C-alpha cells in the first residue's frame, strides 16, 4: 500500500482544538498538508485554525460532537466541499473520568463511551466509506490502557480496550476485502496535554499522570508517520511499551506495581478543576497542559521507532564495528602470543 506524502494530503483530525489533536494539526500544516479539525468548542477551534493560518498553514474547522454520527458526517462533508476529499482521518477526540468504579455515575460512564468509543466507530466507518475508493490512512488513538488497565481509570481503560478491539477487527476486514486503507492504532503513555484539567474528577483532587510525561509533539509525529507509511500499532513512550509488555507477561506483578506505586501518583496535590469537558466542549486551543511539576520530555524510544531505517543502520554499524574490534583484538593476541612448539599428542 502506498500513501501520499503529507504535502499532498488533506487530513481530518477529531479532537483537534487542543492537546494531541492540535499538535498533530499544526505539524501536518507545517509539512504542507491541508487540515480539517473538529471539536465541540467553536471558540477553541477558531483560535486553533487562526494559529495554523498565522504559521502559513491551510486549515478549516467544524464544530461537532463525535458521539453524533450526523455531526461526524458533517466533518467529512466539510473536507469534501472545501478540499475535494481527504487522504487521512485521525480519530483523536477523547474525554476522561478519574475515580473509583463505585463512585462514577452511569451517566458519566455512558458519556465517556459516546466520545471515546462511539466517536471512533463513527469516524472510522465514515472515513473508510470515502477511503475505500481512493485509498488512504485511518489512525485511531488508543492508549497504553488499550492493553493495560490502571486504577482510577477503569472506565477510560475499558473504552480504550474497546477501541483496540474495534480497530483490530476493522483492519482484518479491510485487509480481507483488499481495500487500500491503512489502519493504525497509536498507544501513547502519559502525555503532557491539558487532559488533567479537562477530566471529570471524583477524587476531589486534580488528576496527575504518572511519570514519565512525554511531549504531545511525540504523538503528533508518530501519527503523521502512520499517515505516510502503513504501520499496525505504534507506542509513544518507552513506558507505554514497557507496561504493555509487562502486563502481558506478568499481569499480577503489574497489578501490584499499579496498586502500590502508580495509584498514589495519580492523585494530585491541588483541588480538582471545577469544570470539565465530559458533557460539553472545553478547550483553550493549547497543546500542553499543567502537570504539577512533572517535566514534559521527548521520547528517544518513539523517535527511534519512527526512523527504523536509521535505527537499523546505526545498529548494523555498531555490530559491524564491534565485530571488527573483536577480530583485531584476537589478531593482536595471536601476534603477541609466544611461539610454542607443538607438544606430544596426549
Amino acid at each position: 500500500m502506498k500513501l501520499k506524502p503529507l504535502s499532498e494530503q488533506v487530513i481530518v483530525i477529531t479532537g483537534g482544538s487542543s492537546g494531541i489533536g492540535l499538535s498533530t494539526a499544526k505539524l501536518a500544516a507545517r509539512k504542507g498538508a491541508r487540515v480539517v479539525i473538529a471539536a465541540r468548542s467553536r471558540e477553541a477551534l477558531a483560535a486553533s485554525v487562526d494559529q495554523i493560518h498565522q504559521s502559513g498553514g491551510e486549515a478549516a474547522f467544524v464544530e461537532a460532537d463525535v458521539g453524533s454520527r450526523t455531526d461526524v458526517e458533517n466533518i467529512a462533508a466539510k473536507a469534501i466541499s472545501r478540499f475535494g476529499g481527504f487522504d487521512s482521518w485521525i480519530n483523536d477526540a477523547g474525554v476522561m473520568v478519574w475515580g473509583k468504579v463505585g463512585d462514577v455515575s452511569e451517566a458519566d460512564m455512558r458519556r465517556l463511551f459516546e466520545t471515546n468509543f462511539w466517536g471512533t466507530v463513527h469516524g472510522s466507518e465514515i472515513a473508510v466509506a470515502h477511503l475505500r475508493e481512493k485509498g488512504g490512512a485511518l489512525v485511531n488513538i488508543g492508549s497504553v490502557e488499550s492493553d493495560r488497565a490502571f486504577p482510577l481509570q477503569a472506565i477510560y481503560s475499558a473504552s480504550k480496550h474497546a477501541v483496540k478491539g474495534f480497530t483490530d477487527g476493522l483492519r482484518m476486514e479491510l485487509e480481507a476485502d483488499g481495500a487500500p486503507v491503512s489502519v493504525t492504532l497509536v498507544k501513547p503513555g502519559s502525555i503532557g496535554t491539558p487532559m488533567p484539567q479537562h477530566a471529570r474528577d471524583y477524587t476531589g483532587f486534580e488528576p496527575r499522570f504518572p511519570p514519565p510525561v512525554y511531549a504531545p509533539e511525540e504523538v503528533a509525529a508518530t501519527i503523521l508517520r502512520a499517515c505516510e507509511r502503513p504501520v499496525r500499532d505504534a507506542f509513544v513512550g518507552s513506558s507505554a511499551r514497557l507496561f504493555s509488555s509487562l502486563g502481558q507477561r506478568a499481569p499480577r506483578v503489574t497489578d501490584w506495581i499499579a496498586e502500590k506505586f502508580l495509584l498514589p501518583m495519580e492523585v494530585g496535590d491541588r483541588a480538582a478543576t471545577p469544570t470539565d469537558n465530559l458533557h460539553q466542549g472545553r478547550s483553550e486551543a493549547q497543546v500542553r497542559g499543567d502537570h504539577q511539576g512533572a517535566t514534559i520530555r521527548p521520547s528517544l524510544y518513539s523517535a527511534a521507532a519512527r526512523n527504523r531505517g536509521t535505527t537499523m543502520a546505526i545498529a548494523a554499524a555498531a555490530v559491524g564495528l564491534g565485530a571488527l574490534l573483536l577480530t583485531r583484538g584476537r589478531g593482536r593476541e595471536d601476534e603477541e602470543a609466544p611461539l610454542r612448539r607443538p607438544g606430544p599428542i596426549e
Side-chain angles (χ1 to χ4, degrees):
M1 189 182 304
K2 186 173 178 60
L3 302 174
K4 294 180 181 178
L6 291 177
S7 60
E8 298 176 11
Q9 288 200 31
V10 175
I11 300 178
V12 175
I13 305 171
T14 68
S17 63
S18 69
I20 291 169
L22 179 55
S23 179
T24 305
K26 287 183 171 182
L27 181 58
R30 286 201 300 271
K31 291 180 176 290
R34 292 168 291 171
V35 179
V36 177
I37 61 174
R40 292 173 294 171
S41 174
R42 187 176 187 84
E43 295 77 11
L45 284 166
S48 298
V49 166
D50 186 56
Q51 292 174 19
I52 293 171
H53 287 167
Q54 288 180 9
S55 299
E58 189 173 357
F61 73 83
V62 182
E63 185 179 0
D65 181 344
V66 296
S68 164
R69 186 180 184 90
T70 300
D71 280 12
V72 180
E73 289 172 344
N74 291 338
I75 300 171
K78 177 75 170 186
I80 293 169
S81 64
R82 176 71 181 271
F83 298 118
F86 53 88
D87 305 285
S88 293
W89 183 293
I90 300 161
N91 286 310
D92 172 65
V95 293
M96 178 171 278
V97 173
W98 209 261
K100 293 182 178 180
V101 171
D103 295 336
V104 180
S105 73
E106 182 177 332
D108 284 353
M109 291 184 181
R110 289 184 178 275
R111 176 64 253 191
L112 182 143
F113 255 79
E114 287 293 329
T115 299
N116 292 8
F117 176 68
W118 285 107
T120 299
V121 172
H122 295 155
S124 297
E125 290 183 342
I126 290 166
V128 165
H130 179 80
L131 296 175
R132 273 182 180 274
E133 302 299 323
K134 54 182 294 187
L138 172 68
V139 182
N140 290 340
I141 308 306
S143 167
V144 61
E145 294 183 62
S146 295
D147 297 338
R148 174 70 215 179
F150 292 114
L152 299 183
Q153 303 176 55
I155 192 63
Y156 178 82
S157 298
S159 73
K160 293 302 184 179
H161 272 64
V163 166
K164 179 182 186 300
F166 171 78
T167 303
D168 289 347
L170 174 62
R171 182 190 300 108
M172 289 186 285
E173 291 175 4
L174 291 171
E175 288 177 348
D177 290 345
V181 183
S182 169
V183 179
T184 299
L185 181 67
V186 176
K187 297 185 280 190
S190 295
I191 305 299
T193 69
M195 183 69 86
Q197 289 79 54
H198 294 170
R200 169 63 62 91
D201 174 76
Y202 278 83
T203 69
F205 295 92
E206 185 175 282
R208 181 168 58 188
F209 291 170
V213 178
Y214 299 102
E217 292 82 2
E218 294 286 354
V219 191
T222 297
I223 290 170
L224 294 180
R225 175 75 168 177
C227 291
E228 287 189 300
R229 298 189 180 183
V231 59
R232 186 181 191 278
D233 297 290
F235 289 96
V236 180
S238 57
S239 64
R241 179 72 178 184
L242 172 64
F243 270 103
S244 175
S245 299
L246 187 62
Q248 293 173 15
R249 291 168 173 76
R252 289 298 299 153
V253 172
T254 312
D255 288 349
W256 181 83
I257 293 172
E259 293 160 10
K260 299 296 182 182
F261 298 102
L262 296 186
L263 181 56
M265 295 180 187
E266 291 182 324
V267 181
D269 299 325
R270 61 190 179 210
T273 306
T275 58
D276 57 69
N277 72 347
L278 182 61
H279 291 277
Q280 59 185 7
R282 173 179 178 262
S283 176
E284 304 81 13
Q286 294 178 354
V287 169
R288 298 192 179 196
D290 186 348
H291 287 262
Q292 303 189 51
T295 300
I296 299 176
R297 48 170 286 185
S299 170
L300 296 178
Y301 165 85
S302 299
R306 290 192 300 271
N307 298 279
R308 290 183 179 177
T310 302
T311 303
M312 292 299 293
I314 293 173
V319 170
L321 179 61
L324 178 62
L325 293 175
L326 181 61
T327 302
R328 287 185 174 179
R330 285 178 177 172
R332 223 178 283 114
E333 289 176 1
D334 293 341
E335 292 172 1
E336 295 173 356
L339 291 175
R340 296 187 180 90
R341 293 182 180 181
I345 299 174
E346 297 179 355

